[in-house]
Amino acid sequence: MAQVVNNNYHVDLSDLMRLYETNYAKLNALSPCRPSVGDVRCYQASGISYQLRVSEVTKYTTLIDICQSDDVPVFPLPRMSVRLYHDARVAEVCRCEHLTRIDARYSYPNKKMLQQDEKLQINRFLGDWLSFCLKQGISRAPLNI
């Protein structure tokens, strides 16, 4: 008789929180110091233009929309909204392109063919992109530090 192996995906909370913390630090380095709604910061990295726009500021959180601002992007960056939680010092992708809400875990297969660890992958992508901008990016405006 064949044995059934249960390969369910389980969220590694410590790994996810570590990722949120590093993304928070990276995003803070790229975003305005004292953000207010409507603030925009533009970067150019490897000939590609990116934009960070502050869309919401509350006492404990800031919501930043990230997009590629080239007219015809060669490798398009998905539009993302990232919430920074200042009290916990973490940043989390809360919207990405076609996903208005990102669950921690998805059953697989599903209608949208999302990976079981879609939330982790999207936040890792954000971390990689932020690292790229920090290493290769040039701000279009002087940074007020």
Side-chain angles (χ1 to χ4, degrees), residues 4-60:
V4 176
V5 178
N6 187 355
N7 287 333
N8 287 339
Y9 169 74
H10 297 284
V11 177
D12 182 347
L13 190 57
S14 62
D15 186 39
L16 191 59
M17 291 307 292
R18 191 171 28 260
L19 181 61
Y20 288 169
E21 289 169 353
T22 57
N23 284 351
Y24 179 86
K26 291 174 188 176
L27 196 52
N28 264 325
L30 292 169
S31 59
C33 290
R34 291 180 183 81
S36 58
V37 173
D39 285 350
V40 175
R41 180 67 49 91
C42 296
Y43 291 93
Q44 187 161 350
S46 297
I48 303 170
S49 300
Y50 302 102
Q51 177 178 301
L52 282 72
R53 184 181 159 276
V54 178
S55 60
E56 178 184 294
V57 177
T58 66
K59 187 174 182 179
Y60 298 108

Side-chain angles (χ1 to χ4, degrees), residues 78-81 93-102 122:
R79 291 181 167 271
M80 287 187 246
S81 292
V93 176
C94 49
R95 273 181 294 190
C96 183
E97 204 68 29
H98 60 284
L99 297 173
T100 55
R101 182 174 167 269
I102 304 167
I122 289 171

Side-chain angles (χ1 to χ4, degrees), residues 19 76-78 80 120-130:
L19 181 61
L77 172 78
M80 287 187 246
L120 178 64
Q121 288 188 39
I122 289 171
N123 281 281
R124 276 196 181 140
F125 174 79
L126 173 65
D128 291 343
W129 179 79
L130 292 170

